[in-house]
Amino acid sequence: MSWASPDDVFLSTSLATYLDKKILVLLRDGRKLLGLLRSFDQFANVVLEGACERIIVGDLYCDIPLGLYVIRGENVVLIGELDLEKDELPPHMTRVSTAEIKRAQKAERDATVLKGSMRKRMEFLDFD
Amino acid sequence: MLFFSYFKDLVGREVTVELKNDLAIRGTLHSVDQYLNIKLENTRVVDQDKYPHMLSVRNCFIRGSVVRYVQLPPDGVDVDLLHDATRREARGG
């Protein structure tokens, strides 16, 4: 990611081609942030304007507005340019309120914990 | 710099990049840099149903540090050439 001249910036790996575009940033903890790319550097530190977090639980989703975000590069997994022509999500997904998505998230977490504890208790059965 | 040069030769080819979080993305290799950051074009996620948020992502930048594998086209690897280059680099040339 060098400072390429304007001619070959489109051929380089620089994030400059995504400047002022709506992007999706996937983080190492699995979070998905959306926003306008306003700045970046060689570590993939990025500045997102109008950032929001998209939480997806099953077929439900919610965008939670966050504002201006500076993301430290080491947490970045992937930066995707969003095709504005295409639907951002499959048509069968429904948008719900913040409260509802938090509830769904908690239910999912509880289910995972339960599954884990059940498995632990049944370990003597030797599943694998 | 060996693998950097190697990946540069693969630009324009179709590759599958598997990340450390198990997400696998297939696309045309657009560019690579010294950190082995990768840019892909015309991407599609291998397991689309599991990653619905990637549906409208056509081009993407992948940070080199999160890549686990790059699956190459079978004819994209010239083992002899790579072997020679490795020896040359090891000799400090």
Side-chain angles (χ1 to χ4, degrees):
Chain A
M1 253 190 303
S2 57
W3 292 103
S5 72
D7 303 328
D8 48 47
V9 80
F10 291 101
L11 298 171
S12 78
T13 317
S14 161
L15 285 168
T17 49
Y18 300 159
L19 274 176
D20 301 325
K21 298 226 168 72
K22 190 174 183 193
I23 58 163
L24 165 82
V25 183
L26 209 64
L27 301 182
R28 271 197 313 185
D29 63 1
R31 274 189 253 208
K32 305 160 253 306
L33 303 182
L34 293 98
L36 289 178
L37 180 67
R38 290 303 192 195
S39 183
F40 66 90
D41 67 6
Q42 73 268 39
F43 305 111
N45 294 319
V46 293
V47 176
L48 281 190
E49 190 183 318
C52 60
E53 180 181 352
R54 175 160 294 166
I55 303 180
I56 300 177
V57 181
D59 282 348
L60 307 177
Y61 77 95
C62 179
D63 288 343
I64 297 172
L66 303 168
L68 186 74
Y69 256 47
V70 183
I71 304 166
R72 188 172 161 90
E74 60 175 342
N75 300 294
V76 171
V77 167
L78 171 150
I79 295 179
E81 186 185 355
L82 292 176
D83 186 347
L84 298 175
E85 313 274 279
K86 289 201 72 183
D87 290 331
E88 283 187 10
L89 290 166
H92 61 84
M93 297 191 67
T94 6
R95 185 182 196 133
V96 296
S97 69
T98 313
E100 231 164 309
I101 205 77
K102 294 274 188 212
R103 212 175 310 134
Q105 230 179 353
K106 189 176 182 308
E108 194 185 46
R109 247 197 320 268
D110 291 348
T112 319
V113 171
L114 186 68
K115 212 171 131 191
S117 70
M118 289 291 261
R119 208 189 150 84
K120 230 184 165 70
R121 252 178 280 167
M122 300 292 173
E123 235 161 29
F124 65 93
L125 290 174
D126 228 354
F127 285 117
D128 313 306
Chain B
M1 292 303 255
L2 201 152
F3 284 92
F4 174 38
S5 325
Y6 174 68
F7 278 116
K8 271 201 290 193
D9 287 342
L10 280 170
V11 163
R13 309 292 297 268
E14 182 100 337
V15 296
T16 305
V17 181
E18 186 183 318
L19 309 184
K20 287 180 188 169
N21 61 6
D22 293 333
L23 173 65
I25 308 164
R26 190 158 176 77
T28 310
L29 189 64
H30 170 277
S31 58
V32 199
D33 66 14
Q34 53 179 332
Y35 307 107
L36 303 188
N37 293 327
I38 290 173
K39 249 186 177 177
L40 293 179
E41 282 184 333
N42 295 313
T43 54
R44 58 182 182 283
V45 170
V46 174
D47 189 358
Q48 185 64 254
D49 299 338
K50 208 174 151 198
Y51 306 98
H53 53 279
M54 293 293 290
L55 190 70
S56 63
V57 175
R58 281 287 79 103
N59 307 313
C60 73
F61 165 93
I62 301 165
R63 200 171 192 265
S65 63
V66 301
V67 173
R68 183 186 289 139
Y69 303 124
V70 181
Q71 298 170 22
L72 311 163
D75 61 336
V77 203
D78 186 337
V79 179
D80 293 329
L81 195 76
L82 208 53
H83 191 171
D84 288 346
T86 310
R87 284 167 180 272
R88 253 200 314 279
E89 195 134 313
R91 251 186 277 128

